[in-house]
Amino acid sequence: MKPYTVVLIIPTGIGAAIGGYAGDALPVARAIAQSCDRLITHPNVLNGAQLYWPLPNAFYVEGYGLDQFAKGRWGLQSVHQNRIGLILDRAIAPDLRLRHVQAAEGCRATLGLNLTDYVVTDAPLDVELRSSASGASWGTIGNTGSLLRAAETLIQQARAEAIAIVARFPDVDSLALEKYRHGCGVDPLAGAEAVISHLIVRQFRIPAAHAPALSPLPLDPLLSPKSAAEEIGYTFLPCVLVGLSRAPQFVTQPTHESIWTDQVDAVIVPESACGGSAILSFSQQKTLIIAVENNQTMMRVSPEPIGIKSIKVHSYIEALGLLVAHRAGISFESLNPSICPLRCLSNVL
Amino acid sequence: MTTHFISAEIDLQDNPLQLQKEIEAELEKHGKPLRWAITKVDQENETVQVEAIVTKQ
């Protein structure tokens, strides 16, 4: 039987009502993973700072790699374990750096993860944050050379097979931070985080993911449950290391076990965020695209105006029903109270 | 290598594949596209707004 393969996309930094906070789309991923043989999704969905939930049939694929996968340029090769190299931004203060090294040590000792020795960048990465006209968060990196040199050292000298990066982020505008912590704003760091991991994946074609280093925040009694996972401890690193430990490798030639874009049966995406490269690519396949309306975002890109055929559903619960029917080979129309009668097609061409 | 944020307005195309190609061609005028997204569709003027990060050597 052909494995039923689903891709779940919730872009980062666009204020998604579900998945725009601290790993708050993880319950969606867990439910979808129960409804398919293989779930392909990305760090924004699975990362919950110190919280995570290993899903045996989930593939943790960074966004740049997911775009290449959707285009058919890269395949996904599952692994039993990756040796993870850790990059620490030189701008991280000594105490906070030590916290991150200890988090990595904890993941080795308690979870059995395989890490190489770590590298501190030869200069501060100089992350700058920005909010765009659309309301999305973006960012730029001042010292991309330092980032890429650190990754090269880990790959060549320590034989790292995946890269975790911890960058020091500038203090965030207090109003934006407050809104995020209260569960009603855009993650101000997310766009820059994606840029950091995209740079590594594009350059070295290996799995990568990022965790920000931040000074501890004062207690907030109004903290939203959706943001709470990021206020448990000193670092966001554990979920990244867990995800990377079994992230699939990227391959450019088909192998016996690799997964390619034409094997994807369904893609689930917020209805207002259909303007990403991956969705445009998947729309060229036979893939069922399910657009979820109640996961609202700052984007204004519905599928129809850009020529994407999709099925719209109100919620992820409804999307789960579609997946079950699709996997079982049941026509969606057959599940409705009334069914249009068959018509006789003209055989005149 | 440096990273740059850019925004661009691009004409809607007949199909998503052509739209993707047009976006990437436009971004390549500014550098090597790293991450991009259509953020808004203007159906009246048949254009899309794109935000992106590109890299330059």
Side-chain angles (χ1 to χ4, degrees):
Chain A
M1 182 73 81
K2 178 178 178 284
Y4 190 74
T5 304
V6 176
V7 173
L8 172 63
I9 297 176
I10 304 177
T12 194
I14 60 168
I18 303 167
Y21 299 90
D24 58 306
L26 187 45
V28 173
R30 288 185 60 198
I32 293 173
Q34 290 289 320
S35 312
C36 62
D37 296 304
R38 302 185 295 205
L39 169 64
I40 298 166
T41 189
H42 52 106
N44 183 56
V45 170
L46 295 176
N47 286 353
Q50 299 209 28
L51 300 184
Y52 49 82
W53 193 280
L55 297 165
N57 61 338
F59 291 74
Y60 181 88
V61 182
E62 195 274 342
Y64 186 86
L66 193 56
D67 288 347
Q68 300 305 307
F69 169 75
K71 280 183 175 174
R73 293 178 180 169
W74 294 0
L76 306 177
Q77 178 74 52
S78 61
V79 300
H80 292 297
Q81 186 185 60
N82 288 314
R83 283 167 53 84
I84 307 166
L86 174 62
I87 297 174
L88 298 170
D89 183 352
R90 182 162 291 277
I92 302 171
D95 283 4
L96 196 52
R97 182 192 296 178
L98 187 56
R99 291 281 185 198
H100 283 86
V101 172
Q102 290 177 347
E105 298 284 32
C107 288
R108 293 174 67 214
T110 305
L111 303 179
L113 303 191
N114 190 351
L115 271 77
T116 72
D117 290 330
Y118 63 91
V119 167
V120 177
T121 60
D122 54 24
L125 293 179
D126 192 17
V127 177
E128 287 191 18
L129 306 178
R130 89 164 39 227
S131 178
S132 68
S134 70
S137 71
W138 290 88
T140 52
I141 315 303
N143 272 317
T144 54
S146 290
L147 176 70
L148 298 178
R149 279 192 295 277
E152 190 169 17
T153 300
L154 287 168
I155 295 164
Q156 292 192 350
Q157 293 186 25
R159 295 180 294 113
E161 297 160 320
I163 301 290
I165 312 106
V166 182
R168 181 72 172 99
F169 271 54
D171 291 334
V172 177
D173 165 59
S174 57
L175 180 60
L177 181 61
E178 183 178 297
K179 287 174 77 174
Y180 174 74
R181 293 178 85 193
H182 291 176
C184 57
V186 175
D187 181 345
L189 311 181
E193 292 193 85
V195 169
I196 291 170
S197 56
H198 275 45
L199 282 165
I200 301 275
V201 175
R202 187 178 75 179
Q203 183 80 12
F204 300 104
R205 197 166 46 81
I206 66 171
H210 175 267
L214 299 164
S215 305
L217 296 168
L219 269 176
D220 183 347
L222 301 177
L223 184 70
S224 166
K226 285 179 163 290
S227 302
E230 291 177 354
E231 309 224 1
I232 295 171
Y234 298 98
T235 99
F236 300 0
L237 187 56
C239 64
V240 166
L241 297 178
V242 167
L244 289 174
S245 70
R246 297 192 66 199
Q249 291 290 329
F250 301 114
V251 294
T252 55
Q253 297 294 325
T255 62
H256 179 59
E257 291 176 337
S258 56
I259 305 172
W260 292 82
T261 186
D262 58 2
Q263 296 167 26
V264 174
D265 294 285
V267 179
I268 304 176
V269 64
E271 192 273 342
S272 61
C274 289
S277 175
I279 293 295
L280 293 178
S281 297
F282 282 124
S283 73
Q284 304 305 304
Q285 308 282 340
K286 290 181 179 174
T287 313
L288 170 69
I289 294 179
I290 301 173
V292 179
E293 291 172 328
N294 79 345
N295 191 5
Q296 295 177 353
T297 75
M298 302 297 284
M299 302 292 99
R300 298 289 175 265
V301 189
S302 295
E304 306 90 352
I306 53 174
I308 293 176
K309 290 178 183 165
S310 70
I311 295 185
K312 291 192 182 187
V313 296
H314 176 64
S315 67
Y316 286 105
I317 293 174
E318 199 177 332
L320 285 161
L322 273 190
L323 292 180
V324 170
H326 193 228
R327 183 185 195 181
I330 297 168
S331 164
F332 304 140
E333 192 184 22
S334 307
L335 301 174
N336 287 323
S338 61
I339 301 174
C340 296
L342 296 175
R343 292 177 301 170
C344 181
L345 284 178
S346 166
N347 59 3
V348 179
L349 294 175
Chain B
M1 186 194 297
T2 51
T3 54
H4 304 268
F5 173 82
I6 62 169
S7 59
E9 190 175 80
I10 289 157
D11 290 339
L12 263 173
Q13 303 292 317
D14 291 339
N15 62 69
L17 182 62
Q18 193 58 36
L19 181 57
Q20 188 181 39
K21 285 181 178 169
E22 286 293 322
I23 291 168
E24 290 179 346
E26 177 63 29
L27 295 179
E28 279 166 12
K29 295 176 186 170
H30 304 272
K32 191 173 177 186
L34 181 68
R35 183 173 189 250
W36 59 264
I38 304 168
T39 60
K40 193 168 65 174
V41 182
D42 183 341
Q43 288 183 268
E44 193 175 330
N45 294 309
E46 298 190 332
T47 59
V48 299
Q49 194 72 33
V50 174
E51 294 178 356
I53 296 287
V54 300
T55 58
K56 293 182 187 177
Q57 286 295 340

